[in-house]
Amino acid sequence: QVQLVESGGGLVQAGGSLTLSCTVSGRTFATDTMGWFRQAPGKGREFVSGISWNGGRTAYVDSVKGRFTISRDNGKDTTYLLMNNLKPEDMGVYYCAKFSGHISGSVYPYDYWGQGTQVTVSS
């Protein structure tokens, strides 16, 4: 059974930092593209960042470029999202997801999802 478990969310003041983690079990992690998405109340799920299976390629939504950094440790079956200079508009539930293709900004190719972790940014 494939499981993705996110952690690291919480409450932070604007300008602060958080690091999200997503650990995968039940399936080979090292060959999969990983993605981070977020969903604010009343809005759709938005692509935030993605990383290729070996970390050689990354992608970010424009609004987080220069502030967020995605990385992965295939030895630990874990991907990370370092979020700096957080803004109120970054608030939402953050989800990690994976699939065996190239990085995509669409939710559809991703076939396994975590349960999400809440990020709250106070202004």
Side-chain angles (χ1 to χ4, degrees), residues 42-111:
K43 295 188 176 182
R45 200 164 291 191
E46 173 191 32
F47 174 79
V48 175
S49 182
I51 187 167
S52 62
W53 68 274
N54 64 352
R57 293 185 179 181
T58 59
Y60 300 91
V61 67
D62 286 346
S63 62
V64 308
K65 286 180 180 177
R67 299 188 297 121
F68 290 13
T69 304
I70 191 171
S71 61
R72 65 190 296 159
D73 184 340
N74 287 350
K76 295 182 178 180
D77 294 341
T78 300
T79 187
Y80 305 95
L81 186 67
L82 169 61
M83 306 185 294
N84 291 324
N85 190 21
L86 281 160
K87 303 177 180 181
E89 52 264 42
D90 295 318
M91 274 197 295
V93 179
Y94 280 69
Y95 299 89
C96 69
K98 70 181 193 69
F99 80 114
S100 57
H102 297 297
I103 297 173
S104 173
S106 170
V107 301
Y108 296 108
Y110 294 86
D111 47 14

Side-chain angles (χ1 to χ4, degrees), residues 1-4 22-34 52-54 72-79 97-101 111-112:
Q1 182 180 358
V2 179
Q3 284 191 318
L4 284 70
C22 172
T23 300
V24 179
S25 62
R27 177 188 165 106
T28 302
F29 170 82
T31 58
D32 286 334
T33 287
M34 299 298 300
S52 62
W53 68 274
N54 64 352
R72 65 190 296 159
D73 184 340
N74 287 350
K76 295 182 178 180
D77 294 341
T78 300
T79 187
K98 70 181 193 69
F99 80 114
S100 57
D111 47 14
Y112 293 99

